Amino acid sequence: MTDRTKILVTGGTGYIGSHTVVELLEAGYDVVIIDNLSNSNRDVLDGIEKITGRRPEFVEGDCTDLSTLRNLFTNYPGIKGIINFAASKAVGESVEKPLLYYRNNLNTLINLLDLMPEFGVKGIVFSSSCTVYGEPDVNPIDETAPIKPATSPYGNTKQISEEIITDYIASGAPIKSIILRYFNPVGAHPSALIGELPNGVPNNLVPYLTQTAAGLRKELTVFGRDYNTPDGSCIRDFIDVVDLAKAHVVAMRRMLDGQDTDAIEIFNLGTGRGVSVIELIDAFEKATGVKVPHRFGERRAGDIEKIWAVPAKANEVLGWKAEIPIEETMRNAWAWQCHLAEKK
Ligand code: WQD
């Protein structure tokens, strides 16, 4: 039996989850994944093993079922920390199917929190999102920026989840939590063995962009060029998924090993740089030498005009900083798209 600290990663075969499992294994943790494979597939485990030389334990299961989770904690004793990625995350779909989002995202979290004291689990890292800030009044934004009314059930589940964690800890629950508010995760592992695997037509910019560059889509539509920004397109804080994954390892170590840290801490995870949609397309073309056929269309309902982070708190308190340049991120995203084409 190893004396490695054991971590449960829910949603661990997903995009950010799988990259985080790689970093946890490489940092010397043991990992148990539970995933219902609703938005990922099992062969991600092969990619993780090829990269790290170690295969995480895997349980196919639904975290909204309390007995499934109780059995997991019973069968895998000694789990000290949880990283909770398991959630539905498509903004548009959440508007069409709000109950699916509230049931899946909130019941998952409530079940995990409920079982933690019973099984001696010390802390939970929660995957939140900058979407809780809505359209900021000023940019860049730090963690004190006001939480705005959610613009989608998906965003609302992130806000409510943060409140559930806060209230549960305030009630005296013997656990700690670190809430990580992601900006826009993009890219893929440099090995090109794991990456983003969107089901169907991608909602997000970068997978749609790389599929267009690969000729799988006719052209990319830039949703709006009349925003109040230098080039008229929206601005985001695109953070490399490997930088993001590393932040989870740092957060877990701080939560489990850190002395006299607060029971609940919140961090913005971004680069601190605002990049527009058009600038991202240019960065991709410059970095890869591959053109992206694109047109300028209407704005997309619900889009925020501009949002990017002040990452100072994560830099100073966590000792973590996003380091991967956007051009390298674009090359990795393209290498992953090419790997997918070879796999077909
Ligand atoms: C980015 C920009 C689009 C596609 C959402 C969620 C967030 C998180 C990440 C889950 C926008 C533009 C996009 C396209 C385009 N989700 N765009 N053409 O909306 O910032 O964030 O995904 O964790 O919580 O809110 O990301 O990649 O969809 O869009 O012009 O084909 O790219 O208008 O300005 P978004 P995105």
Side-chain angles (χ1 to χ4, degrees), residues 98-116:
L99 295 185
L100 181 148
Y101 275 67
Y102 288 115
R103 179 176 291 119
N104 186 35
N105 297 4
L106 301 182
N107 286 2
T108 288
L109 176 65
I110 291 165
N111 286 344
L112 291 167
L113 294 173
D114 202 4
L115 292 168
M116 286 174 71

Side-chain angles (χ1 to χ4, degrees), residues 16 88-91 127-132 151-152 154-155 158 182-186 196 202-209 219-224 227 233-236 238 277 280-281 295 298-300 302-305 307:
I16 302 167
S88 304
K89 64 162 193 170
V91 172
S127 165
S128 191
S129 167
C130 63
T131 201
V132 302
T151 53
S152 71
Y154 159 75
K158 293 300 182 185
Y182 309 157
F183 281 67
N184 282 63
V186 289
E196 196 164 2
N203 293 305
N204 291 134
L205 175 62
V206 171
Y208 201 103
L209 184 155
E219 66 183 356
L220 170 70
T221 302
V222 174
F223 295 139
Y227 285 99
S233 66
C234 291
I235 295 175
R236 293 291 185 274
F238 295 104
V277 175
L280 192 91
I281 295 170
R295 59 181 282 275
E298 295 304 307
R299 294 182 175 195
R300 179 173 69 175
D303 270 340
I304 283 162
E305 180 173 80
I307 183 167

